[in-house]
Amino acid sequence: MNPTVVLVHGAMHTPWIFEPLRERLSARGIASRAVQLPSSSPDSAAARGLAEDVEVVRAAVAAVDGPVVLAAHSYGGVPATWAAAESDQVTELVYIAAFALEAGTSMMEWMGGDFPPTWHHSPDGLAVKAGDAEESIFSGVDPALTAEAVKRLNWQGVRAFTEKLGAAPAQVSLTYVVATEDPALPPAVQEQWAARAAHSVRVPSGHSPHLSHADEVADVLAKAVARAWSNRSQ
């Protein structure tokens, strides 16, 4: 079986955010799937946590008949890391301006114990949403695409940030896509994580290179798929 790319979106997003990237993967003959993380929901009371996200990613990988290149953006790197640690199907884990946390740590710890001051809290206190998404998440993205993406943003469950990462892969090959003009996740931090990866690529983008530089990200994933295929053929 040819390798399949499984895409994991970031906080507040839906699988829609990967449509431009998936179109380019299809044009390259690469099959892909995109999950919906339960921590992201239009209903703050329904937004779940990291543990439920991991279950969904794990199930998506297991549903593929063959090897998987698991690719994640932003917060999606956290459940993807955990799921990759527990799957023999994942041949490569690709971080797209994503959080590559150490096992035993949480997003909240990484953020210094609090949410950014520009974020909104839901009235029930169960979820948060970025208040400056145009600048922090979608900088450098086409204005029309940005407007549509902002309209589609969900609430993100607080437990996604407070629950600790349970495991990280020791044997899975890593690739890191550094967004060199990212205002949300400092490029210097991304470079630290990229230094631990077998492969790294730098894209002159903000926090959403899969939108602003979809062709470049598709090329990265195509190379990961080719490596998976080559390793399987040996």
Side-chain angles (χ1 to χ4, degrees):
M1 293 293 294
N2 291 331
T4 298
V5 175
V6 174
L7 296 158
V8 185
H9 63 75
M12 299 166 266
H13 290 325
T14 69
W16 173 87
I17 207 71
F18 287 123
E19 286 189 3
L21 177 59
R22 295 187 69 194
E23 290 173 1
R24 287 158 174 82
L25 291 175
S26 293
R28 290 163 171 79
I30 297 171
S32 68
R33 303 179 183 186
V35 305
Q36 172 64 63
L37 297 179
S39 63
S40 172
S41 173
D43 178 4
S44 60
R48 301 301 184 227
L50 173 59
E52 291 90 344
D53 288 346
V54 174
E55 288 295 333
V56 165
V57 178
R58 187 184 293 128
V61 170
V64 174
D65 182 16
V68 168
V69 171
L70 188 57
H73 171 240
S74 195
Y75 160 78
V78 185
T81 295
W82 194 338
E86 299 177 345
S87 173
D88 292 333
Q89 286 178 258
V90 177
T91 61
E92 193 161 326
L93 176 57
V94 181
Y95 294 102
I96 305 169
F99 288 86
L101 301 182
E102 299 280 354
T105 60
S106 69
M107 284 287 296
M108 184 61 74
E109 289 170 334
W110 185 90
M111 293 189 297
D114 201 1
F115 293 104
T118 54
W119 284 23
H120 303 306
H121 295 255
S122 62
D124 57 18
L126 297 176
V128 292
K129 184 184 292 186
D132 61 344
E134 291 89 348
E135 294 79 25
S136 63
I137 301 177
F138 302 118
S139 62
V141 176
D142 174 79
L145 188 54
T146 293
E148 182 64 25
V150 169
K151 284 197 305 183
R152 291 172 177 266
L153 285 179
N154 283 335
W155 290 104
Q156 182 72 15
V158 169
R159 287 196 295 110
F161 299 94
T162 58
E163 294 175 355
K164 296 179 184 293
L165 176 62
Q171 304 299 325
V172 177
S173 180
L174 306 179
T175 290
Y176 201 102
V177 178
V178 178
T180 62
E181 300 172 14
D182 193 335
L185 179 53
V189 174
Q190 296 185 45
E191 288 288 359
Q192 292 175 6
W193 289 329
R196 306 199 313 245
H199 310 277
S200 61
V201 178
R202 278 136 205 91
V203 178
S205 78
H207 191 53
S208 298
H210 50 291
L211 293 179
S212 62
H213 293 72
D215 282 312
E216 288 91 329
V217 175
D219 286 343
V220 171
L221 295 175
K223 290 177 181 177
V225 166
R227 285 191 290 268
W229 180 251
S230 175
N231 292 338
R232 191 173 177 83
S233 301
Q234 290 177 0

